[in-house]
């Protein structure tokens, strides 16, 4: 579903992502873990096609992001860490706007909006302007809009931030359901407990370098994901300081 081959992105003299390669198969929930500034958001923005990259290749369901960005966007949904919604619209107008962009048939669109708005308890608020929504409500609306065209690949940047426990539980169920139907999900998170329980596979990135990836069992063994993450981060930092010396 997603192939990243030797992705490299620099900002001036800083290399944000360095020669990163990763493969995500249909049916997989893939977690992306790293400290702030590790390169997670840069990678996600490169996949979605809203940020150029310097080297490498990204394929979404066999379609090249560089060669056919519109074709890729039709297969993708993206939820950034701070959704930037059209606040002058009402919730329902925004969802219909997204449905129009992806040419979702009206009957199917109505059914999906009703299903997910009811799940999140947002139905009664859809007529209200988004400007009146709390951060959590905006996050829920962004999630519904991502699911509305049934994308093959869903990318999310810290999707659980701002969600109450019930909404987080609902989102986890939606993620599993989506992948059980053959879709794939790639999401960044700081919540290691969530990644450990939810993900089929996980990738750990530090300083733009992928330092470990694979199934949860392959990555963490008998330890907790938190222990492995902290140990790997410390080991790489020690290696970096040793090479500089």
């Amino acid at each position: 579903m997603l192939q990243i081959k030797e992705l490299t992105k620099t900002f001036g003299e800083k290399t944000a992502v360095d020669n990163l390669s990763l493969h995500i198969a249909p049916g997989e929930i893939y977690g992306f873990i790293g400290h702030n500034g590790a390169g997670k958001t840069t990678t996600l923005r490169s996949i979605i096609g809203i940020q150029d990259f310097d080297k490498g290749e990204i394929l979404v369901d066999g379609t090249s992001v560089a060669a056919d960005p519109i074709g890729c966007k039709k297969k993708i949904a993206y939820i950034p860490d701070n959704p930037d919604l059209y606040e002058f619209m009402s919730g329902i107008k925004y969802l219909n706007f997204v449905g129009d962009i992806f040419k979702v048939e009206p009957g199917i669109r109505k059914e999906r909006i009703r299903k997910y708005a009811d799940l999140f308890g947002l139905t009664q608020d859809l007529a209200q302007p988004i400007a009146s929504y709390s951060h959590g409500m905006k996050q829920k609306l962004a999630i519904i809009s991502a699911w509305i065209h049934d994308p093959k690949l869903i990318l999310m940047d810290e999707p659980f931030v701002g969600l109450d426990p019930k909404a987080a539980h609902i989102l986890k169920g939606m993620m599993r359901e989506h992948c059980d139907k053959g879709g794939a999900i790639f999401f960044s998170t700081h919540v290691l407990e969530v990644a450990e329980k939810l993900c089929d596979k996980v990738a750990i990135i530090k300083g733009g370098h992928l330092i470990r990836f694979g199934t949860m069992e392959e990555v963490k063994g008998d330890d907790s994901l938190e222990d492995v993450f902290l140990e790997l981060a410390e080991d790489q930092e020690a290696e970096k300081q040793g090479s500089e010396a």
Side-chain angles (χ1 to χ4, degrees), residues 131-151:
S132 69
Y133 283 19
S134 67
H135 176 75
M137 292 168 67
K138 291 176 183 177
Q139 186 79 355
K140 292 173 185 177
L141 190 69
I143 292 167
I144 296 169
S145 71
W147 257 257
I148 201 169
H149 67 287
D150 194 24

Side-chain angles (χ1 to χ4, degrees), residues 2-245:
L2 174 65
Q3 285 184 298
I4 307 173
K5 303 177 182 178
E6 300 179 351
L7 175 66
T8 299
K9 173 62 180 178
T10 60
F11 295 98
E13 296 182 359
K14 175 179 171 57
T15 301
V17 179
D18 192 358
N19 206 40
L20 186 149
S21 295
L22 201 62
H23 174 260
I24 299 175
E28 289 182 343
I29 299 178
Y30 214 121
F32 200 29
I33 298 169
H35 293 299
N36 290 335
K40 303 188 303 298
T41 298
T42 298
T43 301
L44 292 173
R45 289 170 63 88
S46 297
I47 297 167
I48 196 66
I50 58 177
Q51 179 175 271
D52 293 333
F53 46 94
D54 302 309
K55 192 186 80 170
E57 184 178 25
I58 301 174
L59 302 174
V60 177
D61 194 32
T63 302
S64 167
V65 170
D68 186 6
I70 299 299
C72 283
K73 286 181 174 67
K74 291 178 180 178
K75 303 177 183 183
I76 295 176
Y78 174 54
I79 304 175
D81 58 345
N82 188 22
D84 191 10
L85 309 176
Y86 295 118
E87 297 200 348
F88 63 89
M89 289 183 173
S90 66
I92 190 64
K93 284 186 177 179
Y94 179 76
L95 292 176
N96 278 313
F97 169 68
V98 173
D100 288 343
I101 289 175
F102 288 100
K103 300 179 180 178
V104 181
E105 192 272 322
I108 295 174
R109 179 192 313 184
K110 185 176 181 179
E111 180 182 333
R112 289 175 182 163
I113 291 173
R114 182 187 297 115
K115 173 184 176 180
Y116 295 121
D118 284 350
L119 269 177
F120 282 117
L122 204 61
T123 302
Q124 299 302 317
D125 299 294
L126 290 181
Q128 302 303 316
I130 297 173
S132 69
Y133 283 19
S134 67
H135 176 75
M137 292 168 67
K138 291 176 183 177
Q139 186 79 355
K140 292 173 185 177
L141 190 69
I143 292 167
I144 296 169
S145 71
W147 257 257
I148 201 169
H149 67 287
D150 194 24
K152 292 190 173 185
L153 174 66
I154 298 176
L155 305 168
M156 299 186 284
D157 198 354
E158 299 290 346
F160 297 100
V161 173
L163 292 181
D164 58 72
K166 181 180 178 180
H169 178 74
I170 291 168
L171 176 57
K172 293 172 194 174
M174 290 169 61
M175 292 166 69
R176 187 73 271 167
E177 180 184 44
H178 178 75
C179 291
D180 286 347
K181 293 191 303 180
I185 289 177
F186 187 40
F187 76 104
S188 71
T189 182
H190 285 111
V191 188
L192 300 184
E193 295 86 355
V194 168
E196 190 165 0
K197 293 177 181 178
L198 183 62
C199 296
D200 302 304
K201 292 183 179 178
V202 65
I204 299 175
I205 186 173
K206 186 177 191 306
H209 296 273
L210 206 58
I211 56 178
R212 187 174 290 187
F213 63 94
T215 65
M216 194 60 65
E217 291 74 21
E218 290 170 340
V219 169
K220 75 182 186 70
D222 295 328
D223 298 318
S224 72
L225 185 59
E226 182 179 25
D227 290 339
V228 172
F229 172 66
L230 294 174
E231 182 181 346
L232 287 171
E234 289 171 1
D235 287 348
Q236 196 195 47
E237 187 65 30
E239 289 176 10
K240 179 181 176 182
Q241 291 175 357
S243 63
E244 289 175 350

